[in-house]
Amino acid sequence: MKKIFLYTVIWAVLLPCMLWAQITPEQIIKKAEYNQVHDTMKSTGKMIITSQFGTQEKTFEAVAEGEDNMLLTFTNIEERGQKILRLKDEIYLYFPDAEGLLRLQGGALKESVMGSSFSYEDLTGEKGLLDLYTVSFIETAPVQIEISGTSYSCYHVKLKGKRSVAYPEQELWIDSNLFVIRKAVYKSLSGRVLKELVVERIQTIGGKYIPVQFNMIDKLKKNSQTRFIIENLRINVALRPDEFSLERLSF
Amino acid sequence: MKLPVIALRNIWRNKRRTILTMSAITLATLIIVFMFSLIEGMKYDMKNTVVKFTTGHIRIRNIEYDRKELLNPLQYNINDYEKVIEVLDGIEDVDMFSPRIQFGGRFGMLIGENRVYEKELDARGVGVDFKTEDQFQDLEKYLKTGGRLPQEGKNEIIVTIGLAHDLKVKDKDGEERPAKVGDPFDLFIAQTMAGAGFNNRSVRIAGIVEFPIATVNRNLFLMPIKDAGSLLRMNMAESKQAIEILIILKDPDDIAAPAALITKALNDADITSVLYNPDNLPEKDYQGLVVASWHDASAWYAWLQMAEITYNFIGLFFIILGTTVIMNTTMMTVYERMKEIGTIAAMGMTGKQIVLLFFLEAFFMSFIAALLGVGIGSGLVTAIGQLDMSQFWENLDMDITSIITFRLNIRSVLFTFLYSIGVASAVTFIPSRKAAKIEPVEALRSV
Amino acid sequence: MKFLISLAWKNLSRYRRRTIITAVAIAVGIALFIWMDAWLLGAEMETVRNLLQFETGPARVMDKKYWAEKDYKIIKYHLDNPADIQAALSEAGYESTQRISFLGEISKLVESEGSFTIDVAAIDVQTDGKVFKLQDGIVEENGRFIEQGTPEIIIGKDLAEDLGVELGEEVIVLTKTAAGSYEDLELTVVGLLETPNPLINKGSGFISLEYAKLRLQIGEGATDVVIQFAETADSAAELKKIRGALKSLPGYENWEVLDYKALASEFIMLAQAKSGGSQIIIFLIIIIAVIGISNTMLMAVFERVKEIGMMRALGMKDRSIVLTFIFEAVGVGLIGSLIGLAIGFFLTWWMVDVGIDISAMIENMGNIGYRSAGIFKAAWNWGTMVNAFIMGIIIAGSVAYFPAKRATRMQITDCLRDK
């Protein structure tokens, strides 16, 4: 799921369906989505990109507001001062050495972010999963999956795209107790696995569960994965009113 | 009576005819000399372009880059070009060298609302070492007044006039104008080394340069190689990387020997290199540098040879044309003097002498005429030197500046000279022999 | 007037040798001029031809949004009713073919070493040949062309080498469907392309249109309708006609209709940057021809000064004399031009139909990357032929004017005395 890596989804209502005996796939999804979103979030983090060219580590500071706005500021040496600003469907790139801003839209969003396994498109996204996909159980009872030596009980659900979505088919393993996504597999229309996301660590904060370490593997390229590690996570922080404005990008 | 004297007197006698004939020969010769110089100039220009801007006489690259050229894989570079240059410096045959990184970039202009670019322009960039490049490309000569070469580390570039024309800046009145020295633009790189993502940096035009080749002037810019390397995220801090090194030799005709020498010298200095041999390609798993003569390195040489053949054909055309003119003129002079032939035949001159007489006349006339033609032609060519055709295309875009060089080739001048004389003189045989055989009475009667 | 003309004509037959020699001079000049021009035109067209036959085609209809982001070839923006467009074009007399052009990441299916981004075009196997010459790019030992509706692909030979793929092996092409979803296509390489166009050889693949429509969620749509017209046609005029034919179709305002000049603007500008050299060459040819003609004309007039004197003494008006000479000159010009035209015609015809085979030369020169660029052909240029013909006559005529005029100004007695 797109939201998971950059915690940018707002959720309004949590259906009181926990009382029901048989939980539906839709309810599972809703709970999982609710889990990830806060009004405002701040954190620092690392992005470790492994590819055929070796490993690169990038550090950043992140600010997010609701579902739509997110600002990443890079702090490692090579990219220091570079920023990625997401406003709903648009991405703006700020480079400290340049005068102007780069606006990415349309086809440019397919490009990968700094050579990682995430594309700019993966950073954007407008609607909730239930709007875009029909959900169904692959197994009605939770299954056990193993991640980094630990076994977790997860609901295994399948998502089929209702309309134009980048990944027309997905498989999710959602923790049956915490309702957090543990693993996701993204497929093409014909069912070939394109990417795989594995959540390696989860943090409890504000009564919710946020994945703070996850790895995205590009299944089509040799040796290609990107690991996100989020540190210093704070929620419900006060933000400046112009936090996500274009003018502020140069600061 | 000596025939030569008669011949000279005949020439002198009918001035109008002589002048007419001689001027035709002069003009024909002149044009042929002109044409050949033009052809030489065009051949030279093309060769120059390819050698200076694309392949050099010899080109050194990382073999993996060559193998995967499609992707412009910057990571397969020459790791320490300064070390390679050190080796090259010690080789006699090497005249000049140019380490380079070529890449594609996009200029963002006219920063408007929201600080986003209103216009963008794709361009080709070359990172060069300006210390050596100045000499390599004669940069100072082509640099326009008011500009200078960029300094390293200051994010300065020089652009060609075509590019300067297409880069737009808004002036105080809000009108768009072409770029000038001092204007800043953002340079965006989509493909940096090893998929490291985008990069964007503000650069300033330090100078504008006009090369004598139209295609180069369209959208090329140059920047210091280390600045290019850092823009392309090539870890320039650690080592001195270049994609290729072009070498110009002192003797452009002997390439094989120096190439072998260079390869050996590099290997001796612990830089793994192999000499490119199209009949015996390096092993699939060979890693290291490849030293290639421009004959083999790319399709350019073969293409140039084709062009050369075309030009030689054109030269041939002109010779045919010129020959026709000379023949025409000279033959006419004989035919017109049928009556005269009859008279002198009647007076006792033998057929052989008559033929010889006309031959000598043609010879003397053409000698002077061809000399004049060749002289004026050479003089014109030397004086013109280079013709700037741009004024012929005032209304068209600046893109199409073509400067045509003329080069005098002594061999072809000599050839043209002798050829004209030869044709003019030899051609008299045809009519004069026929004329000499006719009975004097017949000749006298023909008017 | 009639008298003068017949007089001129008689004079021509009188000085038959001179007439022939002069006519030959004119003929050679004109023939070479025509041939040279055809050749230069052929060279110019060669580059354009390459573009037309393998890359852009003469003209295309595309969705406006598709064209706006042409670097990304987003098939989400496509023509919904390409068949209707084709029908309208056919009524207006144009052949056309549909294509879906998109970007794909191609890699070997098994043991992939890496992937390349290439241009993929889904082509209508039956009609593609009406516009493009792709079929010529497959030679026997390099496999065969794709078949309609099958998961097959043909790729450039160079690309295959770079991928490490051989005939019969499979590749994956990853792309986005018209709905924006990622899709991968498993395709068998059935043919390797070798064309005169290096871009095609190094970075393109072609699949079946029917198959693409099945897999890419595009319904019956297509991204391009490529329209055929002759390479010598005036593309601006053709565009106008095409737009007129399509104007009434629904959705027209969302379409771009562009010719090859706009489709490949950068490349065209390079190819057509007329080198001043060729202009000079033509100019010089003209000069030499003029010299040849005028020289003989001049001599002809001057040699007949006595004759002129006699005619004037007999009462012929000066004007008539000048006219006679002009007619003579025109007559010679006519003969010469006709012969020159005929020779030029045959030379050009030989060049256009047969061309000069320089492939043998190329082979000796080593790697040039092309194959069929070995035959160099010229192009017909009727305009030039007509111009040359007319010019020959005019020049011949005008050149006779001045000396004839001069001669008529002399004293009659001086004329008669002239030797």
Side-chain angles (χ1 to χ4, degrees), chain B residues 16 20 24 27 31 70-71 215 305-306 309 317 328-329 332 335-336 338, chain C residues 17-18 21 25 35-36 116 202 270 287 291 295-296 299 302-303 361 365:
Chain B
R16 195 186 304 153
L20 227 49
L27 274 172
I31 290 188
L70 252 191
L71 307 169
T215 48
Q305 287 191 309
M306 266 214 298
I309 294 178
F317 271 177
N328 190 326
T329 317
M332 288 301 279
Y335 282 128
E336 311 251 286
M338 284 307 206
Chain C
R17 208 176 284 138
R18 172 182 305 144
I21 293 186
W35 196 33
M36 170 70 71
F116 291 89
K202 279 191 174 280
L270 278 179
I287 296 228
I291 296 173
N295 187 279
T296 4
M299 279 226 269
F302 284 131
E303 292 300 327
M361 279 186 250
M365 293 191 244

mmCIF file of all heavy atoms in Angstrom, chain B residues 16 20 24 27 31 70-71 215 305-306 309 317 328-329 332 335-336 338, chain C residues 17-18 21 25 35-36 116 202 270 287 291 295-296 299 302-303 361 365:
data_model
loop_
_atom_site.group_PDB
_atom_site.id
_atom_site.type_symbol
_atom_site.label_atom_id
_atom_site.label_comp_id
_atom_site.label_asym_id
_atom_site.label_seq_id
_atom_site.Cartn_x
_atom_site.Cartn_y
_atom_site.Cartn_z
ATOM 1 N N ARG B 16 40.624 40.117 -80.985
ATOM 2 C CA ARG B 16 39.308 39.803 -80.426
ATOM 3 C C ARG B 16 39.151 38.309 -80.235
ATOM 4 O O ARG B 16 38.733 37.828 -79.193
ATOM 5 C CB ARG B 16 38.208 40.314 -81.345
ATOM 6 C CG ARG B 16 36.858 40.334 -80.637
ATOM 7 C CD ARG B 16 35.742 40.705 -81.561
ATOM 8 N NE ARG B 16 36.017 41.988 -82.200
ATOM 9 C CZ ARG B 16 35.544 42.325 -83.382
ATOM 10 N NH1 ARG B 16 34.796 41.480 -84.059
ATOM 11 N NH2 ARG B 16 35.817 43.506 -83.906
ATOM 12 N N LEU B 20 38.848 36.348 -76.663
ATOM 13 C CA LEU B 20 37.673 35.531 -76.411
ATOM 14 C C LEU B 20 38.072 34.122 -75.996
ATOM 15 O O LEU B 20 37.598 33.578 -74.996
ATOM 16 C CB LEU B 20 36.838 35.462 -77.695
ATOM 17 C CG LEU B 20 35.355 35.696 -77.527
ATOM 18 C CD1 LEU B 20 35.106 36.942 -76.708
ATOM 19 C CD2 LEU B 20 34.719 35.847 -78.901
ATOM 20 N N ALA B 24 37.847 32.412 -72.105
ATOM 21 C CA ALA B 24 37.083 31.211 -71.806
ATOM 22 C C ALA B 24 37.933 30.220 -71.037
ATOM 23 O O ALA B 24 37.509 29.646 -70.021
ATOM 24 C CB ALA B 24 36.564 30.582 -73.100
ATOM 25 N N LEU B 27 38.620 31.510 -67.496
ATOM 26 C CA LEU B 27 37.472 31.360 -66.611
ATOM 27 C C LEU B 27 37.251 29.903 -66.216
ATOM 28 O O LEU B 27 37.008 29.596 -65.051
ATOM 29 C CB LEU B 27 36.210 31.905 -67.290
ATOM 30 C CG LEU B 27 35.994 33.416 -67.098
ATOM 31 C CD1 LEU B 27 34.857 33.912 -67.942
ATOM 32 C CD2 LEU B 27 35.749 33.703 -65.631
ATOM 33 N N ILE B 31 37.488 28.566 -62.397
ATOM 34 C CA ILE B 31 36.367 27.927 -61.697
ATOM 35 C C ILE B 31 36.752 26.556 -61.177
ATOM 36 O O ILE B 31 36.379 26.164 -60.078
ATOM 37 C CB ILE B 31 35.135 27.851 -62.616
ATOM 38 C CG1 ILE B 31 34.594 29.262 -62.808
ATOM 39 C CG2 ILE B 31 34.090 26.950 -62.015
ATOM 40 C CD1 ILE B 31 33.283 29.312 -63.520
ATOM 41 N N LEU B 70 24.534 2.578 -25.193
ATOM 42 C CA LEU B 70 23.118 2.933 -25.242
ATOM 43 C C LEU B 70 22.626 3.651 -24.002
ATOM 44 O O LEU B 70 21.844 4.574 -24.058
ATOM 45 C CB LEU B 70 22.296 1.642 -25.343
ATOM 46 C CG LEU B 70 21.615 1.275 -26.641
ATOM 47 C CD1 LEU B 70 20.672 0.130 -26.396
ATOM 48 C CD2 LEU B 70 20.871 2.450 -27.226
ATOM 49 N N LEU B 71 23.091 3.157 -22.830
ATOM 50 C CA LEU B 71 22.534 3.670 -21.590
ATOM 51 C C LEU B 71 23.264 4.887 -21.063
ATOM 52 O O LEU B 71 22.909 5.403 -20.025
ATOM 53 C CB LEU B 71 22.610 2.579 -20.515
ATOM 54 C CG LEU B 71 22.001 1.240 -20.869
ATOM 55 C CD1 LEU B 71 22.389 0.206 -19.829
ATOM 56 C CD2 LEU B 71 20.503 1.361 -20.942
ATOM 57 N N THR B 215 26.101 22.271 -37.024
ATOM 58 C CA THR B 215 25.435 21.315 -36.132
ATOM 59 C C THR B 215 25.933 21.450 -34.709
ATOM 60 O O THR B 215 25.193 21.260 -33.751
ATOM 61 C CB THR B 215 25.687 19.873 -36.584
ATOM 62 O OG1 THR B 215 27.079 19.726 -36.835
ATOM 63 C CG2 THR B 215 24.909 19.572 -37.837
ATOM 64 N N GLN B 305 34.573 8.788 -45.646
ATOM 65 C CA GLN B 305 35.118 8.295 -46.903
ATOM 66 C C GLN B 305 34.062 8.319 -47.993
ATOM 67 O O GLN B 305 34.328 8.648 -49.135
ATOM 68 C CB GLN B 305 35.658 6.869 -46.712
ATOM 69 C CG GLN B 305 36.938 6.861 -45.935
ATOM 70 C CD GLN B 305 37.594 5.513 -45.990
ATOM 71 O OE1 GLN B 305 36.968 4.508 -45.715
ATOM 72 N NE2 GLN B 305 38.851 5.479 -46.343
ATOM 73 N N MET B 306 32.855 7.986 -47.615
ATOM 74 C CA MET B 306 31.766 8.056 -48.588
ATOM 75 C C MET B 306 31.583 9.471 -49.074
ATOM 76 O O MET B 306 31.417 9.735 -50.261
ATOM 77 C CB MET B 306 30.459 7.589 -47.932
ATOM 78 C CG MET B 306 30.153 6.156 -48.144
ATOM 79 S SD MET B 306 28.403 5.859 -48.285
ATOM 80 C CE MET B 306 27.818 6.385 -46.706
ATOM 81 N N ILE B 309 34.168 10.455 -51.541
ATOM 82 C CA ILE B 309 33.914 9.938 -52.881
ATOM 83 C C ILE B 309 32.890 10.808 -53.584
ATOM 84 O O ILE B 309 33.030 11.151 -54.761
ATOM 85 C CB ILE B 309 33.413 8.487 -52.818
ATOM 86 C CG1 ILE B 309 34.522 7.595 -52.290
ATOM 87 C CG2 ILE B 309 32.943 8.022 -54.174
ATOM 88 C CD1 ILE B 309 34.117 6.153 -52.156
ATOM 89 N N PHE B 317 32.708 16.202 -62.235
ATOM 90 C CA PHE B 317 31.720 16.956 -63.012
ATOM 91 C C PHE B 317 32.319 18.218 -63.581
ATOM 92 O O PHE B 317 32.164 18.550 -64.748
ATOM 93 C CB PHE B 317 30.586 17.405 -62.096
ATOM 94 C CG PHE B 317 29.475 16.417 -61.989
ATOM 95 C CD1 PHE B 317 28.412 16.663 -61.154
ATOM 96 C CD2 PHE B 317 29.498 15.245 -62.701
ATOM 97 C CE1 PHE B 317 27.390 15.752 -61.031
ATOM 98 C CE2 PHE B 317 28.484 14.323 -62.575
ATOM 99 C CZ PHE B 317 27.422 14.587 -61.738
ATOM 100 N N ASN B 328 35.360 23.305 -76.808
ATOM 101 C CA ASN B 328 34.462 24.081 -77.626
ATOM 102 C C ASN B 328 35.146 25.311 -78.196
ATOM 103 O O ASN B 328 35.208 25.530 -79.404
ATOM 104 C CB ASN B 328 33.292 24.495 -76.723
ATOM 105 C CG ASN B 328 32.175 25.097 -77.500
ATOM 106 O OD1 ASN B 328 32.398 25.768 -78.501
ATOM 107 N ND2 ASN B 328 30.969 24.837 -77.079
ATOM 108 N N THR B 329 35.680 26.068 -77.274
ATOM 109 C CA THR B 329 36.309 27.315 -77.674
ATOM 110 C C THR B 329 37.453 27.100 -78.664
ATOM 111 O O THR B 329 37.526 27.732 -79.714
ATOM 112 C CB THR B 329 36.901 28.005 -76.440
ATOM 113 O OG1 THR B 329 35.973 27.920 -75.375
ATOM 114 C CG2 THR B 329 37.218 29.440 -76.742
ATOM 115 N N MET B 332 36.502 25.851 -82.141
ATOM 116 C CA MET B 332 35.879 26.893 -82.942
ATOM 117 C C MET B 332 36.914 27.763 -83.620
ATOM 118 O O MET B 332 36.772 28.133 -84.794
ATOM 119 C CB MET B 332 34.978 27.774 -82.060
ATOM 120 C CG MET B 332 33.730 27.088 -81.629
ATOM 121 S SD MET B 332 32.768 26.560 -83.039
ATOM 122 C CE MET B 332 31.975 28.076 -83.439
ATOM 123 N N TYR B 335 38.028 26.026 -86.709
ATOM 124 C CA TYR B 335 37.024 25.940 -87.760
ATOM 125 C C TYR B 335 36.811 27.267 -88.458
ATOM 126 O O TYR B 335 36.551 27.331 -89.658
ATOM 127 C CB TYR B 335 35.696 25.455 -87.188
ATOM 128 C CG TYR B 335 35.658 23.970 -86.955
ATOM 129 C CD1 TYR B 335 35.291 23.455 -85.734
ATOM 130 C CD2 TYR B 335 36.012 23.092 -87.966
ATOM 131 C CE1 TYR B 335 35.269 22.091 -85.521
ATOM 132 C CE2 TYR B 335 36.003 21.730 -87.768
ATOM 133 C CZ TYR B 335 35.628 21.234 -86.534
ATOM 134 O OH TYR B 335 35.611 19.898 -86.333
ATOM 135 N N GLU B 336 36.916 28.312 -87.706
ATOM 136 C CA GLU B 336 36.623 29.606 -88.299
ATOM 137 C C GLU B 336 37.687 30.016 -89.314
ATOM 138 O O GLU B 336 37.477 30.918 -90.084
ATOM 139 C CB GLU B 336 36.590 30.656 -87.196
ATOM 140 C CG GLU B 336 35.744 30.178 -86.071
ATOM 141 C CD GLU B 336 34.478 30.874 -85.940
ATOM 142 O OE1 GLU B 336 34.577 31.992 -85.483
ATOM 143 O OE2 GLU B 336 33.448 30.299 -86.304
ATOM 144 N N MET B 338 39.123 28.348 -91.650
ATOM 145 C CA MET B 338 39.248 27.430 -92.790
ATOM 146 C C MET B 338 39.892 28.101 -93.980
ATOM 147 O O MET B 338 40.798 27.572 -94.621
ATOM 148 C CB MET B 338 37.862 26.922 -93.197
ATOM 149 C CG MET B 338 37.318 25.879 -92.280
ATOM 150 S SD MET B 338 38.501 24.538 -92.088
ATOM 151 C CE MET B 338 37.399 23.225 -91.701
ATOM 152 N N ARG C 17 28.544 22.880 -88.272
ATOM 153 C CA ARG C 17 29.518 22.434 -87.280
ATOM 154 C C ARG C 17 29.448 23.292 -86.024
ATOM 155 O O ARG C 17 29.443 22.805 -84.902
ATOM 156 C CB ARG C 17 30.925 22.489 -87.866
ATOM 157 C CG ARG C 17 31.833 21.478 -87.219
ATOM 158 C CD ARG C 17 33.183 21.488 -87.863
ATOM 159 N NE ARG C 17 33.217 20.825 -89.152
ATOM 160 C CZ ARG C 17 33.865 21.300 -90.216
ATOM 161 N NH1 ARG C 17 34.514 22.445 -90.155
ATOM 162 N NH2 ARG C 17 33.873 20.641 -91.355
ATOM 163 N N ARG C 18 29.400 24.618 -86.258
ATOM 164 C CA ARG C 18 29.346 25.518 -85.112
ATOM 165 C C ARG C 18 28.090 25.269 -84.304
ATOM 166 O O ARG C 18 28.123 25.228 -83.077
ATOM 167 C CB ARG C 18 29.360 26.965 -85.586
ATOM 168 C CG ARG C 18 29.107 27.918 -84.437
ATOM 169 C CD ARG C 18 29.066 29.345 -84.912
ATOM 170 N NE ARG C 18 30.265 29.682 -85.638
ATOM 171 C CZ ARG C 18 30.286 30.488 -86.692
ATOM 172 N NH1 ARG C 18 29.177 31.027 -87.143
ATOM 173 N NH2 ARG C 18 31.414 30.755 -87.315
ATOM 174 N N ILE C 21 28.558 22.093 -82.261
ATOM 175 C CA ILE C 21 29.482 22.241 -81.137
ATOM 176 C C ILE C 21 28.866 23.064 -80.016
ATOM 177 O O ILE C 21 28.958 22.709 -78.837
ATOM 178 C CB ILE C 21 30.794 22.898 -81.607
ATOM 179 C CG1 ILE C 21 31.523 21.942 -82.534
ATOM 180 C CG2 ILE C 21 31.655 23.249 -80.414
ATOM 181 C CD1 ILE C 21 32.883 22.430 -82.947
ATOM 182 N N ALA C 25 27.836 21.968 -76.177
ATOM 183 C CA ALA C 25 28.268 22.664 -74.958
ATOM 184 C C ALA C 25 27.081 22.924 -74.044
ATOM 185 O O ALA C 25 27.124 22.670 -72.836
ATOM 186 C CB ALA C 25 28.955 23.964 -75.317
ATOM 187 N N TRP C 35 21.543 16.443 -63.512
ATOM 188 C CA TRP C 35 21.982 15.259 -62.801
ATOM 189 C C TRP C 35 22.472 15.591 -61.400
ATOM 190 O O TRP C 35 22.119 14.925 -60.434
ATOM 191 C CB TRP C 35 23.099 14.590 -63.620
ATOM 192 C CG TRP C 35 23.355 13.195 -63.207
ATOM 193 C CD1 TRP C 35 22.456 12.299 -62.735
ATOM 194 C CD2 TRP C 35 24.607 12.526 -63.262
ATOM 195 N NE1 TRP C 35 23.061 11.110 -62.483
ATOM 196 C CE2 TRP C 35 24.381 11.205 -62.803
ATOM 197 C CE3 TRP C 35 25.893 12.892 -63.657
ATOM 198 C CZ2 TRP C 35 25.398 10.277 -62.712
ATOM 199 C CZ3 TRP C 35 26.891 11.956 -63.572
ATOM 200 C CH2 TRP C 35 26.655 10.666 -63.106
ATOM 201 N N MET C 36 23.254 16.642 -61.339
ATOM 202 C CA MET C 36 23.796 17.053 -60.040
ATOM 203 C C MET C 36 22.675 17.418 -59.087
ATOM 204 O O MET C 36 22.668 17.039 -57.929
ATOM 205 C CB MET C 36 24.718 18.265 -60.256
ATOM 206 C CG MET C 36 25.128 18.915 -58.955
ATOM 207 S SD MET C 36 26.221 17.885 -58.042
ATOM 208 C CE MET C 36 27.639 18.035 -59.067
ATOM 209 N N PHE C 116 16.437 -2.518 -20.309
ATOM 210 C CA PHE C 116 16.563 -1.297 -21.094
ATOM 211 C C PHE C 116 15.196 -0.703 -21.284
ATOM 212 O O PHE C 116 14.211 -1.441 -21.408
ATOM 213 C CB PHE C 116 17.101 -1.614 -22.487
ATOM 214 C CG PHE C 116 18.515 -2.066 -22.512
ATOM 215 C CD1 PHE C 116 18.824 -3.405 -22.394
ATOM 216 C CD2 PHE C 116 19.535 -1.155 -22.672
ATOM 217 C CE1 PHE C 116 20.143 -3.828 -22.428
ATOM 218 C CE2 PHE C 116 20.847 -1.568 -22.718
ATOM 219 C CZ PHE C 116 21.157 -2.907 -22.591
ATOM 220 N N LYS C 202 18.735 -0.115 -32.428
ATOM 221 C CA LYS C 202 19.262 -0.143 -31.074
ATOM 222 C C LYS C 202 18.211 -0.017 -30.000
ATOM 223 O O LYS C 202 18.443 -0.420 -28.870
ATOM 224 C CB LYS C 202 20.261 1.015 -30.896
ATOM 225 C CG LYS C 202 21.616 0.697 -31.453
ATOM 226 C CD LYS C 202 22.636 1.725 -31.030
ATOM 227 C CE LYS C 202 24.021 1.354 -31.456
ATOM 228 N NZ LYS C 202 24.645 0.364 -30.564
ATOM 229 N N LEU C 270 18.435 19.467 -38.507
ATOM 230 C CA LEU C 270 19.807 19.102 -38.802
ATOM 231 C C LEU C 270 19.929 18.663 -40.245
ATOM 232 O O LEU C 270 20.807 19.085 -40.965
ATOM 233 C CB LEU C 270 20.240 17.934 -37.909
ATOM 234 C CG LEU C 270 20.687 18.272 -36.500
ATOM 235 C CD1 LEU C 270 21.053 17.004 -35.782
ATOM 236 C CD2 LEU C 270 21.877 19.202 -36.558
ATOM 237 N N ILE C 287 27.534 28.913 -64.004
ATOM 238 C CA ILE C 287 28.520 29.841 -64.560
ATOM 239 C C ILE C 287 29.306 29.198 -65.694
ATOM 240 O O ILE C 287 29.481 29.795 -66.765
ATOM 241 C CB ILE C 287 29.502 30.312 -63.470
ATOM 242 C CG1 ILE C 287 28.763 31.107 -62.418
ATOM 243 C CG2 ILE C 287 30.615 31.078 -64.095
ATOM 244 C CD1 ILE C 287 29.396 32.391 -62.064
ATOM 245 N N ILE C 291 29.445 30.355 -69.586
ATOM 246 C CA ILE C 291 30.671 30.689 -70.297
ATOM 247 C C ILE C 291 30.742 29.948 -71.621
ATOM 248 O O ILE C 291 31.014 30.530 -72.666
ATOM 249 C CB ILE C 291 31.910 30.316 -69.474
ATOM 250 C CG1 ILE C 291 31.950 31.142 -68.201
ATOM 251 C CG2 ILE C 291 33.167 30.559 -70.292
ATOM 252 C CD1 ILE C 291 33.052 30.696 -67.296
ATOM 253 N N ASN C 295 30.531 32.112 -75.029
ATOM 254 C CA ASN C 295 31.755 32.185 -75.807
ATOM 255 C C ASN C 295 31.510 31.881 -77.269
ATOM 256 O O ASN C 295 31.922 32.629 -78.164
ATOM 257 C CB ASN C 295 32.775 31.217 -75.222
ATOM 258 C CG ASN C 295 34.103 31.368 -75.889
ATOM 259 O OD1 ASN C 295 34.327 30.833 -76.975
ATOM 260 N ND2 ASN C 295 34.976 32.132 -75.294
ATOM 261 N N THR C 296 30.831 30.787 -77.502
ATOM 262 C CA THR C 296 30.594 30.437 -78.898
ATOM 263 C C THR C 296 29.656 31.408 -79.580
ATOM 264 O O THR C 296 29.828 31.745 -80.747
ATOM 265 C CB THR C 296 29.983 29.027 -79.011
ATOM 266 O OG1 THR C 296 29.735 28.521 -77.734
ATOM 267 C CG2 THR C 296 30.892 28.120 -79.779
ATOM 268 N N MET C 299 31.655 34.452 -80.494
ATOM 269 C CA MET C 299 32.501 34.216 -81.667
ATOM 270 C C MET C 299 31.683 34.139 -82.921
ATOM 271 O O MET C 299 32.043 34.692 -83.963
ATOM 272 C CB MET C 299 33.291 32.911 -81.478
ATOM 273 C CG MET C 299 34.483 33.119 -80.621
ATOM 274 S SD MET C 299 35.906 32.353 -81.341
ATOM 275 C CE MET C 299 35.744 30.773 -80.562
ATOM 276 N N PHE C 302 30.825 37.665 -84.010
ATOM 277 C CA PHE C 302 31.956 38.453 -84.487
ATOM 278 C C PHE C 302 32.514 37.951 -85.800
ATOM 279 O O PHE C 302 32.958 38.717 -86.635
ATOM 280 C CB PHE C 302 33.062 38.479 -83.428
ATOM 281 C CG PHE C 302 32.735 39.402 -82.295
ATOM 282 C CD1 PHE C 302 32.853 38.992 -80.981
ATOM 283 C CD2 PHE C 302 32.286 40.691 -82.550
ATOM 284 C CE1 PHE C 302 32.551 39.852 -79.949
ATOM 285 C CE2 PHE C 302 31.975 41.542 -81.512
ATOM 286 C CZ PHE C 302 32.100 41.127 -80.208
ATOM 287 N N GLU C 303 32.494 36.648 -85.954
ATOM 288 C CA GLU C 303 33.035 36.115 -87.209
ATOM 289 C C GLU C 303 32.194 36.498 -88.403
ATOM 290 O O GLU C 303 32.641 36.449 -89.541
ATOM 291 C CB GLU C 303 33.149 34.591 -87.117
ATOM 292 C CG GLU C 303 34.201 34.115 -86.138
ATOM 293 C CD GLU C 303 35.590 34.594 -86.486
ATOM 294 O OE1 GLU C 303 35.888 34.737 -87.679
ATOM 295 O OE2 GLU C 303 36.368 34.859 -85.546
ATOM 296 N N MET C 361 31.919 -0.707 -51.556
ATOM 297 C CA MET C 361 32.883 0.214 -50.969
ATOM 298 C C MET C 361 32.737 0.250 -49.475
ATOM 299 O O MET C 361 33.694 0.281 -48.737
ATOM 300 C CB MET C 361 32.661 1.620 -51.525
ATOM 301 C CG MET C 361 33.286 1.835 -52.866
ATOM 302 S SD MET C 361 33.092 3.555 -53.299
ATOM 303 C CE MET C 361 31.918 3.416 -54.607
ATOM 304 N N MET C 365 35.226 -0.598 -46.063
ATOM 305 C CA MET C 365 35.547 0.438 -45.113
ATOM 306 C C MET C 365 35.292 0.014 -43.678
ATOM 307 O O MET C 365 35.577 0.742 -42.766
ATOM 308 C CB MET C 365 34.736 1.689 -45.407
ATOM 309 C CG MET C 365 35.126 2.335 -46.708
ATOM 310 S SD MET C 365 34.366 3.936 -46.822
ATOM 311 C CE MET C 365 33.312 3.706 -48.203
#
